[in-house]
Amino acid sequence: MHVPDGFIDAPTSAVAGVVAAGAVAVSLRGARRELDERTAPLAGLVAAFIFAVQMLNFPVAAGTSGHLLGGALAAILVGPYTGVLCVSVVLLMQGILFADGGLTALGVNITDMAIVTTVVAYALFRGLVKVLPRTRRSVTVASFVAALVSVPAAALAFTFLYWIGGTTDVAIGKVATAMIGVHVLIGIGEAAITALTVGAVIAVRPDLVHGARGLRQRLKLRVDGELVDAPDTSDSEPAVPAPARSRRGLWITGLVTSLVLAGFVSFYASADPDGLEKVAADQGIDRKTEEHASADSPLADYGVEDITDARLSGGLAGVIGVGVTVVAGSAVFWAVRRRRTDDTSPADTDVSV
C-alpha cells in the first residue's frame, strides 16, 4: 500500500499533504489526552513493532502478498490520535531511510495508511465494544473485525485519490475492483495479526490497552485448592484490576520480539509483490513511476549497502529500522506527554476563591 512517487499527480499529492499535516497536528493535540507515564513508552514500542511486522509480507493469492498496515492495531493499543502518529512515524522512517513509499507521496501515504485505517478501524471498534459483552474476548473479536475492514477501506481511499489525480489513463472501475478484491484478502491477515497482538497484551496488561479501558477481571476465590470466579452479588460488584506485570518487562519483551521479527523472521517473508504493486503492474498504473529521492540511501530496499550476504544485509537493515523507529517514536511521544504535563501543571490549575 506504500504509494511511490509518480502514481498520483503533484496537485493531488499536495492536497493530500495538507490533509495529512492537518491530521498530524490534530493528533499531536489529541495524543496529549491519551498518553501518560505508562502509555508513552508503549506508543514508541507500537511504532517499532508495526515497522517490524510490515517487513513480514505474507502470501494472499497467486503471485501476490500483503503486510500489516497497522492503523487498527495502533489505535486500539494506544488510542486513535496516538495511532495516527505511530503509523506516520513508521511511514516517515520508511520513506527517508529505506526508499519505501515516495517522499512527494508521503501525504498520500499518511492519509491512506495512517488516517483512513485508524479512523475507520477505531470507529468500528468502539461501536462493536459498546454492543458486545465487556470481556477480553469481545475486545479481541472487535479488534479482528475492525482491522479486517480497515484494509479494504484504505484500498478504497487510494482508488479515490487515483480517480482524482492518477497519472495514467486506467478505468477507475478496474482499479477499484482489483484493489478492493486483493485487499479484502490482505485484511484477513491484518485482522489475525491485530487480534493476536491485542489479545496478548490484554492477557498481561489490560490496563495499558486503550481500547480495553475499564476492563477488569472477576474476583477469584480459592475453593478446595482451585481458583474459581466469585459469585455475582450485584451489577456494581467491586472488581480487581487484572494482574499487573512490569511495564519494563513488557517493553523489553516487545522490543526483543520486534528485533527478532525484523532481523531474522523477515528473511522468510514472501518475495511476491504486495497488493498495490501487483495491481499497479497488472493495470498499468506504474507506467509513470519516478525514481525514489532516497534511492541512494545506504538502507534502500531494506538492505545494508556493501553487505553482499542477503540474510545479513536484510537482518541488519531490519534491526536498524526498529532501533531508529523506536527512538524517533519515543522521542515524539515523550515530548507530547511532557507538553501534557506542562498544560496541567499546578500553576495552570490554581483556582482563586
Side-chain angles (χ1 to χ4, degrees):
M1 191 68 78
H2 292 78
V3 180
D5 297 320
F7 275 27
I8 308 295
D9 63 24
T12 306
S13 295
V15 172
V18 172
V19 172
V24 169
V26 171
S27 296
L28 284 169
R29 293 184 63 86
R32 296 180 198 174
R33 300 190 298 271
E34 296 173 345
L35 296 172
D36 55 29
E37 69 280 356
R38 299 177 308 150
T39 56
L42 179 63
L45 178 62
V46 168
F49 182 77
I50 290 172
F51 175 91
V53 180
Q54 283 195 2
M55 295 184 65
L56 308 180
N57 281 48
F58 48 84
V60 294
T64 309
S65 69
H67 63 70
L68 182 81
L69 298 185
L73 176 62
I76 295 165
L77 287 179
V78 292
Y81 294 109
T82 308
V84 169
L85 298 179
C86 282
V87 182
S88 297
V89 168
V90 173
L91 293 171
L92 184 62
M93 295 299 102
Q94 291 171 331
I96 293 175
L97 298 178
F98 298 92
D100 190 9
L103 294 184
T104 63
L106 182 60
V108 172
N109 284 317
I110 290 177
T111 300
D112 194 28
M113 296 178 64
I115 301 171
V116 171
T117 57
T118 300
V119 171
V120 170
Y122 195 71
L124 180 55
F125 173 82
R126 294 307 305 173
L128 288 173
V129 295
K130 286 182 178 180
V131 299
L132 294 173
R134 191 62 173 162
T135 64
R136 294 180 180 182
R137 180 173 298 179
S138 296
V139 173
T140 304
V141 170
S143 301
F144 183 95
V145 176
L148 174 63
V149 175
S150 71
V151 178
L156 184 61
F158 168 80
T159 303
F160 176 72
L161 291 172
Y162 181 81
W163 175 62
I164 295 174
T167 56
T168 54
D169 186 16
V170 179
I172 193 64
K174 293 182 178 180
V175 175
T177 300
M179 283 293 293
I180 295 173
V182 71
H183 283 91
V184 166
L185 299 177
I186 294 173
I188 298 173
E190 176 104 10
I193 294 170
T194 300
L196 287 172
T197 305
V198 170
V201 179
I202 287 179
V204 295
R205 287 299 300 267
D207 57 306
L208 295 182
V209 178
H210 182 88
R213 286 181 174 178
L215 188 66
R216 294 291 184 269
Q217 275 191 328
R218 287 283 305 280
L219 184 65
K220 296 285 187 178
L221 298 178
R222 185 173 296 278
V223 179
D224 296 330
E226 296 184 0
L227 288 176
V228 298
D229 287 336
D232 287 328
T233 57
S234 70
D235 292 337
S236 59
E237 177 188 359
V240 295
R245 295 188 181 180
S246 167
R247 292 195 298 272
R248 181 178 299 177
L250 176 64
W251 195 91
I252 292 174
T253 300
L255 181 60
V256 170
T257 301
S258 300
L259 291 171
V260 171
L261 291 175
F264 177 73
V265 181
S266 62
F267 180 78
Y268 301 97
S270 173
D272 291 333
D274 66 23
L276 177 59
E277 292 173 332
K278 178 64 173 175
V279 171
D282 290 347
Q283 303 296 329
I285 297 175
D286 60 354
R287 289 196 295 267
K288 295 187 179 181
T289 304
E290 301 173 3
E291 184 179 15
H292 200 287
S294 299
D296 295 330
S297 167
L299 297 173
D301 298 323
Y302 298 93
V304 178
E305 189 176 23
D306 297 330
I307 295 183
T308 56
D309 185 280
R311 185 191 296 267
L312 180 60
S313 177
L316 284 176
V319 168
I320 293 170
V322 168
V324 171
T325 303
V326 76
V327 169
S330 297
V332 170
F333 299 124
W334 275 111
V336 172
R337 175 186 173 265
R338 182 178 294 275
R339 184 65 180 273
R340 168 185 173 169
T341 302
D342 293 342
D343 289 346
T344 58
S345 62
D348 296 331
T349 56
D350 285 344
V351 179
S352 299
V353 294

